[in-house]
DNA sequence: CCTTATGCCTGAATGC
DNA sequence: TGCATTCAGGCATAAG
């Protein structure tokens, strides 16, 4: 599921391809994904404009055009890939010798899960594929982007100047919610999802059920530092792929092997050997070490 | 203000 | 083999 490191990896891929390219036609096959404007306006406004930049805030990807910006929330299974027909080999998919399954080689051919295609004048395209259709797209005039509810409701991005120990401490100390749930709240800090929230709490030796307001200053500082370190490390590994996540080139990330707790419920803690517990906190699955985390 | 529940979705995994 | 059920979860929204 795309959290900050996955979205950042997609962004870094797209920024190599998109700026300067001109949109010829916008093909929206599943109109409900575009949330704040009619499809006709969405297509009409964007057609003919060129990409100026690709940015990210938290888990939100921002596609900048000359007069407008598009916000993309990838939800659970959203994929944004760049497609260049001139670079397609004829063997776009191959059969994995290990699994017998079709394995992507870089680019995705549009299929029944491809819901939005931005066609460029040079015949390349940006394909949005989303199996579970939890993704959301928004269109804003550039000057209104900062006032959008989607960006306005975000807390500090961990790699922005707004992300400080003081801001994190303030946001954690004012809520009695479980710290795990608080870390998933995009208004507290923007970018963590279930994978990295579990990883941050393990690295910080904090039980996920603890009330956020009960954390000591030292624990908050550990969380503050570990958020940045764990996300940076995940970005260096090009994100975590469990099933659906792919980068702008359709490639998987390599960060699964870097995870200490997420996806390892019932296995042994890599630090102390205790069996990792798996439970539900606030409706979300959660894995932690009962020995290492207090 | 808070917490909990629900709906949106498909596909993989599981149970009978 | 097939059919029904459960689970995965980001996020908005409603209810308690």
């Amino acid at each position: 599921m795309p959290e900050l490191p996955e979205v950042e990896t997609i962004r870094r891929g797209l920024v190599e391809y998109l700026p300067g390219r001109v949109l010829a036609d916008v093909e929206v096959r599943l109109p409900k994904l575009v949330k704040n404007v009619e499809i006709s306006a969405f297509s009409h406004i964007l057609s003919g404009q060129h990409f100026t930049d690709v940015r990210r805030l938290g888990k939100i990807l921002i596609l900048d055009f000359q007069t407008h910006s598009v916000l993309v929330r990838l939800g659970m299974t959203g994929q944004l890939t760049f497609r260049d027909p001139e670079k397609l080999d004829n063997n776009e998919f191959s059969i994995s010798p290990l699994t017998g399954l079709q394995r992507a080689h870089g680019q995705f051919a549009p299929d029944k899960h491809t819901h939005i295609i931005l066609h460029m004048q040079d015949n390349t395209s940006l394909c949005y594929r989303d199996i579970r259709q939890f993704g959301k797209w928004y269109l804003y005039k550039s000057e209104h982007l900062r006032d959008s509810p989607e960006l306005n409701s975000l807390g500090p991005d961990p790699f922005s100047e707004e992300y400080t120990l003081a801001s994190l401490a303030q946001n954690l100390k004012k809520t009695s919610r479980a710290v795990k749930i608080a870390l998933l709240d995009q208004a507290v800090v923007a970018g963590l999802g279930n994978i990295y929230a579990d990883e941050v709490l393990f690295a910080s030796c904090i039980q996920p059920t603890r009330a956020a307001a009960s954390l000591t200053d030292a624990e908050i500082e550990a969380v503050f530092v570990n958020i940045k370190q764990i996300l940076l490390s995940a970005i260096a590994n090009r994100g975590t792929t469990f099933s659906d996540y792919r980068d702008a080139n359709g490639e998987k990330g390599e960060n699964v092997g870097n995870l200490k707790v997420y996806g390892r419920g019932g296995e042994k803690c890599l630090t102390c050997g205790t069996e990792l517990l798996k439970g539900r906190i606030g409706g979300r699955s959660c894995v932690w070490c009962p020995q290492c985390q207090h």
Side-chain angles (χ1 to χ4, degrees):
Chain A
M1 48 232 81
E3 304 178 27
L4 188 153
E6 291 74 36
V7 180
E8 175 63 18
T9 302
I10 292 169
R11 188 199 70 79
R12 291 181 183 189
L14 293 180
V15 84
E16 295 293 320
Y17 298 124
L18 297 182
R21 282 200 152 88
V22 183
L23 267 189
D25 182 46
V26 178
E27 179 182 354
V28 181
R29 300 178 177 179
L30 193 60
K32 69 167 187 175
L33 294 182
V34 180
K35 295 297 178 180
N36 68 334
V37 290
E38 295 294 324
I39 301 309
S40 53
F42 184 77
S43 301
H44 184 252
I45 288 169
L46 290 177
S47 295
Q49 296 209 35
H50 65 250
F51 284 92
T52 58
D53 202 359
V54 183
R55 295 179 288 154
R56 179 196 59 74
L57 269 179
K59 306 178 197 176
I60 297 181
L61 196 73
I62 305 170
L63 306 175
D64 288 315
F65 295 87
Q66 291 161 277
T67 64
H68 288 66
S69 291
V70 172
L71 301 185
V72 181
R73 276 199 161 129
L74 295 166
M76 288 292 300
T77 54
Q79 301 168 330
L80 259 184
T81 54
F82 181 75
R83 194 171 151 82
D84 183 348
E86 290 191 1
K87 293 189 177 170
L88 280 182
D89 47 32
N90 291 323
N91 191 19
E92 191 173 28
F93 291 91
S94 67
I95 304 300
S96 164
L98 289 178
T99 65
L101 299 174
Q102 250 191 1
R103 186 174 55 181
H105 261 298
Q107 302 190 18
F108 288 122
D111 64 7
K112 66 173 181 175
H113 298 301
T114 304
H115 305 308
I116 298 176
I117 305 176
L118 304 186
H119 298 278
M120 319 299 169
Q121 281 184 351
D122 65 1
N123 214 27
T124 61
S125 55
L126 180 62
C127 297
Y128 181 70
R129 186 173 182 271
D130 187 350
I131 292 175
R132 288 165 69 177
Q133 305 174 18
F134 280 12
K136 296 177 171 70
W137 288 50
Y138 305 84
L139 177 67
Y140 287 101
K141 281 187 181 175
S142 305
E143 62 263 37
H144 295 149
L145 186 61
R146 73 184 67 181
D147 302 319
S148 67
E150 291 74 30
L151 296 190
N152 236 346
S153 60
L154 288 184
D157 182 281
F159 301 111
S160 70
E161 290 183 1
E162 289 74 40
Y163 182 71
T164 62
L165 180 57
S167 69
L168 183 68
Q170 186 178 19
N171 287 341
L172 289 177
K173 283 181 173 176
K174 69 184 180 189
T175 179
S176 62
R177 288 180 294 173
V179 60
K180 163 70 184 274
I181 301 306
L183 290 179
L184 290 173
D185 184 344
Q186 301 301 295
V188 171
V189 52
L192 295 182
N194 215 26
I195 296 173
Y196 299 110
D198 278 5
E199 294 297 315
V200 164
L201 289 172
F202 175 77
S204 307
C205 301
I206 298 169
Q207 287 257 16
T209 49
R210 288 265 304 282
S214 77
L215 268 58
T216 65
D217 288 346
E219 286 173 329
I220 291 173
E221 186 162 0
V223 170
F224 176 76
V225 170
N226 284 322
I227 285 175
K228 285 198 287 192
Q229 285 187 351
I230 285 170
L231 295 179
L232 272 177
S233 168
I235 292 169
N237 287 322
R238 306 182 53 77
T240 301
T241 295
F242 265 92
S243 56
D244 298 292
Y245 165 68
R246 298 294 187 280
D247 70 12
N249 296 301
E251 303 290 343
K252 296 178 178 181
E254 303 297 333
N255 197 57
V256 171
N258 201 28
L259 301 180
K260 305 291 192 294
V261 286
Y262 184 89
R264 299 191 66 247
E267 298 178 33
K268 288 184 175 177
C269 173
L270 297 172
T271 300
C272 72
T274 302
E275 186 175 315
L276 296 176
L277 298 181
K278 180 171 183 175
R280 292 188 82 79
I281 299 173
R284 310 299 302 278
S285 71
C286 190
V287 181
W288 72 97
C289 174
Q291 181 71 30
C292 294
Q293 295 174 253
H294 307 285

